Amino acid sequence: MGESDFDHALDQPAIRLWRRLVYTTQHKISEVEARLAPLGLTMTEFDLLAVLRRFDGATQQEVAQRLLFTEANMSYHAKRLVARGLIERQPSGKRKRLTLTGAGRDLVERALPIVIEMHELQFSDLSGDELQVLRELLRRLK
């Protein structure tokens, strides 16, 4: 592929849209992480704690599926949160069940209003109808 062909390919609507989607996602995650940093949380850690807030006692595999984590990624984050005293891993047959500790529950309860506020702010320029259209378009991409 020559230089001009490559430049032309990068200007294609699908490529430009993909790059915009990735850029927007990364930017929005960075905004939320900056607000979570004083609590010592990343967005990934918050998401894991939030899933356990709703599905406390779920298996590690169930949590991984909800978060679209690989087994290795899930194990890495679970070990880190166990070491910080935020979750516990308990054997359940061949699987491990994850539960929030009191400290984990307190932390996710403090973080939740911050994340909700950030997401509301991030989408505040869109009307209700625009949000519905965006939701439908993103659902169709799935």
Side-chain angles (χ1 to χ4, degrees), residues 107-122:
L107 185 57
V108 76
E109 293 293 336
R110 287 191 338 216
L112 188 57
I114 294 168
V115 173
I116 290 169
E117 177 186 7
M118 282 302 301
H119 289 324
E120 287 175 353
L121 180 63
Q122 289 171 334

Side-chain angles (χ1 to χ4, degrees), residues 63-113:
V63 175
Q65 287 173 342
R66 290 192 178 280
L67 294 171
L68 304 177
F69 281 6
T70 64
E71 186 83 24
N73 199 1
M74 182 67 226
S75 183
Y76 169 80
H77 287 290
K79 286 177 185 176
R80 286 176 46 97
L81 293 175
V82 166
R84 291 175 57 194
L86 300 174
I87 68 171
E88 293 177 343
R89 288 167 51 172
Q90 300 150 348
S92 177
K94 293 182 179 183
R95 302 188 182 267
K96 293 184 179 101
R97 295 212 172 266
L98 303 178
T99 57
L100 286 173
T101 64
R105 184 167 298 282
D106 290 345
L107 185 57
V108 76
E109 293 293 336
R110 287 191 338 216
L112 188 57

